[in-house]
Every structure is written in structure tokens, then in C-alpha cells.
Amino acid sequence: MPNPAARTALVDTIEALKPEFAEMSDAIWDHAELSFHEEKSVATQIAMLEKHGFRVSRGLADIDTAFVGESGQGLPVIAFLGEFDALAGLSQVAGVAEAKALTEGGTGHGCGHNLLGTGSLLAAVALARYLKENDLPGTVRYYGCPGEEGGSGKTFMARAGIFAGVDTALTWHPAPFNGVRSTNNLAVLEIYYRFKGVAAHASNGAHLGRSALDALELMNVGVNYLREHMPSSARIHYAVTDTGGNAPNVVQARAKARYLVRARSLPELLDLVERVRSVAKGAALMTGTTVTDEIVSGDANLVGNTPLEALMHRQLEHLGPPQFDEDDRRTAAKFQETFTGEDIASAFERFGLKLRRGVSLCDTIFPPENGAGTLVGSTDVGTVSWVVPTVQMRGATYAIGTPGHSWQLVAQGKLPAAHKGMEHAAKVMASTAVELILDPALIAAAKADHAVRLEGTPFVNPIPDDVDPPIPGVSHG
């Protein structure tokens, strides 16, 4: 049964804590550290956890910046997932609606992870305080998850069993709209393909050479032909990272490409990767070269959970959207002037919403089914959702139409609207979690739904056991 008194208590706690957590979010924005280099951000979060009485375990899964904060005891065990890594090349002055680097070539929070991790931690602290004040059993965990941007931190953590014993996991992501999204994230593997040939003079000894660069080009062509014969929801992207040299009069003896292979489900992904691998072998065969491949990172697709999604949506309906004011909307409208009309229309379309012109910030909540058929990127939250019943919301923190991984998103990361959206997400997550604790039947329903969805499809971690986390100082190409 819904518990309005518990929700009210959590809301009051979160509103009281907001100033110090907004300050923490801004500090992490300032740090803007890349995947697996998040030392300052982690220190900032751990200090906050310890201030609020959490026990902290550090250096998990052989990753220095992976940690867990825990409060309370007994069952159930409720997990909040946080992130805090930034992106390269996105340095930007805060609050300015024009591209203006804070540090030329520097880093920036182009995916809002300063807000994501802080909002999840705020929800965890509020819930832990509620359990303690009401003498209720239950364990609250905050998972500090590094390296989401191309590093698959949670996938390595799952492989190490770090999520064992968790009953349900909750998280969120900054977005232009508010709501609960279901199964629309793609499974992905990041793979390096390395071709090795024989160097020779490209004019008087070309017949003696075996071109690794030719092999790589043939692989790329072969993969392009493969696109017609793979599921329409799958995606393959690549970047040539080593052409073997700059001299055209040399038969290149080495070449390398970095591939991202994505598919709707984990089994579909593993099948598609084998087909790409066959193309690479064929290219090597045609050119008399050899090829090896190395998996660097990977994430499973997101497994939905109808009971959890319905529960979180009910909390959204009770709380309503974030309370943005006219100053927030005017500022957002200034950023919209830097977008194209297509940027704004696509934002509405991705969330299954009808285009509303002149609306700069979200003032509504989209139903859980909206946008379910629209596939987006990949996230290592997907891997967690295979091992633990997981629910994820989107929380409005920036102007509608803001491109992901852009200077505009970085610039909005410290605005009052961003803090309001983060606070709102924390309220939704904490309210959802307390219902799970007070009504064990909800957790049972979530676990039953999870079991049905995975029936006949055992989980296979997309990252093999012999692949190490891409931590600083370890070369992956």
C-alpha cells in the first residue's frame, strides 16, 4: 500500500539536504574527470557518505575508483547506482549559451554524470536516515560506478560479483523529460581488430608485401555489406586508429580499427559479433595477412521490470514534474536558440511525445510505454539489470533539444534547473525505494518479473574473464 507519510518525510529530508548536495554536484562538475580517473570525484562522494554515517568499501573489482557505501542492516538490500565520469574535449564555461571552453581541449560533463551520481547518493542518504529514524530493517547501498563512458565499469563490477545480495537497484539519468523508460538500450561490445602483414617497397617489391591496411579496408567494406543482412535495430560503428604509417610507398604491415557492435539483446549481440569476426577473418584470408581481436569493454541490454517501472511511475505522478520557474524557462530558451529545429523535434520524438513549440523545459511526465520502440545508446546499467531487478528513470535537468555529449549540456550542468531536476529525481527514487521496503510483496513481484524475462536466456557477461578493466596505465591499443 502507498505510504504518503513516508514519502513526505523523504521529500522533506531531501529538500533540507539539497544545498550541500548541489554544492557537491558542482564540485564534481569542476573536477570533470575521465573514465577510471575519477579520483577527486570519488573522494568527494566518499566524504559525503562518511559524513552521513555510511560504511565505505573501496577499490572494488580491481578498479581504484569503484566503491560501495552501505548503511543499515538486514533485508531488503536496496541499491542506488551512481556515476561521475566526464567526457574529453567538452570543456565549457558554465551557464553561458555559447561555445566557450573553460580550458582549451579540456574535459566536461557532457552527459550530466555530476548530477546523476549526486542525485542517487542524495536518495540513498535520505532513505538511510528514514530507516534509522523509524527503526526499520533494511540495508541501503550506494554504488559508486566509474567508467560508464566507454569503460563498462558496472559490467566489470558485475563480473566480480559486487552486486550480489541486492534485492532491487534504482538509478536515473539526466534528460530533457521526466518519466520511466523501459527496454530500449542496446547491448554493445567494443572490440579492437589488429591486422598484421608483411612490409615491402610499394613499387619494386609490392609482390613481396602483404598489406594489413588493405585487409582493414576490406573488413570495413565487408561490414558495410553486412548491414543489409543484420537486424534493423543493430548498429555497427568503427574508427581506424592505426593505418600503419604515413608513407604511401610502403606496403603497410600493420593496421588497426576500433569497432562498436550493438544489438537489441545480449544473445543477438554475441551472434552479430561472431559475424563481424568472420568478416575480419575473410579479409585477412583475401590479403594473406593475419588478424586478432581484443574485447575492451561491453554492456548488456537493459532488462525491463514492469512492477518496478509501474511503482516508480506512480511516485512520479504523486510528485509531479520538477518545479521550474520562469527564470529557468527563459535561460533554457536561450540555449534552445543554439539548437536546430530538428534537435528539438527529435527530442520529443525519442520520448514518444507530440512536438510542442515554445516549450523550453519539461512540464509533464511521459507514460512508461512512450518511446519504448525508439532505441537509444548503450549503458552498463543494462548489465546490472541482468543480475538484479533494476529500474531507471529519466529526470528533466536541461533544455528540450539539448544534444547529448555537447557543450550545451555541459554549460547547463550547474544551473538552478539542473539542481532542481536532480533533487526531483532523488525524491522519486527514494519514494520508490521506501515503498519496496515497506511492502515486501513489491520486491517479490519484481523478482518474479525478472525471472520470467530471463527464463531460457542465462546471463553471459559480455566481457570475458581474461579482459582487465581499462584502468589508467594499461594500454588497450
Side-chain angles (χ1 to χ4, degrees):
M1 293 290 292
N3 192 315
R7 184 167 57 244
T8 299
L10 288 165
V11 165
D12 290 345
T13 297
I14 288 169
E15 289 178 353
L17 292 171
K18 178 188 173 183
E20 64 181 292
F21 278 80
E23 184 178 338
M24 182 174 76
S25 174
D26 289 352
I28 294 172
W29 188 99
D30 290 337
H31 298 326
E33 296 163 300
L34 297 178
S35 293
F36 301 112
H37 292 265
E38 312 100 334
E39 290 87 359
K40 294 178 181 178
S41 300
V42 167
T44 300
Q45 290 213 329
I46 287 177
M48 184 68 80
L49 285 165
E50 291 179 335
K51 174 183 176 181
H52 290 280
F54 278 67
R55 309 175 294 274
V56 179
S57 301
R58 299 167 170 82
L60 305 178
D62 296 323
I63 302 172
D64 289 344
T65 52
F67 65 96
V68 174
E70 185 174 278
S71 178
Q73 59 185 354
L75 298 176
V77 179
I78 305 296
F80 295 91
L81 311 179
E83 301 166 13
F84 29 75
D85 55 332
L87 290 156
L90 283 180
S91 176
Q92 168 65 31
V93 175
V96 178
E98 63 174 306
K100 188 176 182 181
L102 190 63
T103 302
E104 207 61 46
T107 56
H109 273 285
C111 211
H113 290 181
N114 59 304
L115 299 164
L116 193 166
T118 304
S120 292
L121 200 157
L122 175 54
V125 167
L127 180 63
R129 180 177 294 185
Y130 178 83
L131 296 184
K132 183 176 180 180
E133 290 177 349
N134 290 275
D135 196 26
L136 291 170
T139 302
V140 179
R141 291 181 185 170
Y142 172 78
Y143 280 81
C145 306
E148 192 277 336
E149 297 290 357
S152 302
K154 297 182 194 67
T155 305
F156 284 104
M157 292 170 75
R159 193 183 68 179
I162 305 302
F163 299 100
V166 173
D167 289 295
T168 58
L170 300 89
T171 190
W172 76 294
H173 203 288
F177 297 103
N178 303 289
V180 182
R181 292 292 287 272
S182 187
T183 55
N184 63 340
N185 287 97
L186 298 171
V188 64
L189 274 172
E190 178 182 354
I191 308 169
Y192 276 106
Y193 290 92
R194 295 179 175 86
F195 290 88
K196 184 177 181 181
V198 178
H201 193 288
S203 180
N204 64 25
H207 61 291
L208 301 174
R210 301 293 182 267
S211 175
L213 183 57
D214 285 354
L216 178 55
E217 289 186 294
L218 283 169
M219 178 188 176
N220 294 340
V221 170
V223 168
N224 285 334
Y225 277 102
L226 175 63
R227 296 177 197 279
E228 181 184 357
H229 307 286
M230 67 186 195
S232 59
S233 57
R235 299 287 185 270
I236 302 178
H237 337 280
Y238 66 85
V240 176
T241 60
D242 183 5
T243 61
N246 299 319
N249 61 339
V250 174
V251 174
Q252 305 298 352
R254 71 176 194 278
K256 180 171 58 181
R258 176 185 179 186
Y259 265 74
L260 287 175
V261 184
R262 305 181 197 254
R264 183 185 290 271
S265 69
L266 189 52
E268 186 180 290
L269 170 68
L270 298 177
D271 177 71
L272 185 57
V273 165
E274 285 304 314
R275 295 175 69 188
V276 172
R277 184 173 285 128
S278 294
V279 172
K281 291 178 179 178
L285 183 63
M286 285 188 286
T287 53
T289 60
T290 59
V291 63
T292 58
D293 59 76
E294 177 192 9
I295 293 174
V296 179
S297 64
D299 308 320
N301 58 292
L302 188 68
V303 176
N305 194 288
T306 301
L308 290 179
E309 291 158 10
L311 176 62
M312 181 171 273
H313 181 69
R314 289 197 295 272
Q315 308 311 311
L316 276 163
E317 288 183 320
H318 286 305
L319 292 165
Q323 297 302 301
F324 299 125
D325 59 28
E326 285 307 309
D327 285 342
D328 297 327
R329 293 186 178 89
R330 277 193 294 269
T331 301
K334 290 180 182 178
F335 278 94
Q336 282 190 325
E337 293 174 4
T338 70
F339 310 155
T340 66
E342 186 177 7
D343 288 332
I344 297 172
S346 293
F348 282 95
E349 182 181 1
R350 282 197 307 274
F351 287 82
L353 299 171
K354 184 178 179 180
L355 174 62
R356 296 169 60 203
R357 300 188 185 281
V359 178
S360 61
L361 282 172
C362 178
D363 57 4
T364 188
I365 296 164
F366 64 81
E369 66 272 12
N370 271 36
T374 303
L375 298 172
V376 293
S378 306
T379 171
D380 54 10
V381 173
T383 304
V384 179
S385 74
W386 279 77
V387 297
V388 176
T390 301
V391 64
Q392 179 175 219
M393 70 166 280
R394 296 292 192 270
T397 58
Y398 51 77
I400 297 171
T402 302
H405 294 193
S406 66
W407 68 262
Q408 292 102 323
L409 205 154
V410 180
Q412 295 174 76
K414 281 185 167 183
L415 291 176
H419 296 154
K420 291 173 183 177
M422 177 189 75
E423 173 193 2
H424 180 261
K427 292 175 180 177
V428 174
M429 289 186 290
S431 298
T432 303
V434 79
E435 296 286 353
L436 292 167
I437 289 173
L438 296 176
D439 187 355
L442 293 172
I443 293 179
K447 289 184 175 181
D449 184 276
H450 189 257
V452 168
R453 290 173 185 263
L454 299 188
E455 189 174 0
T457 311
F459 174 61
V460 177
N461 194 299
I463 300 180
D465 291 342
D466 61 350
V467 175
D468 294 324
I471 58 177
V474 178
S475 175
H476 289 271

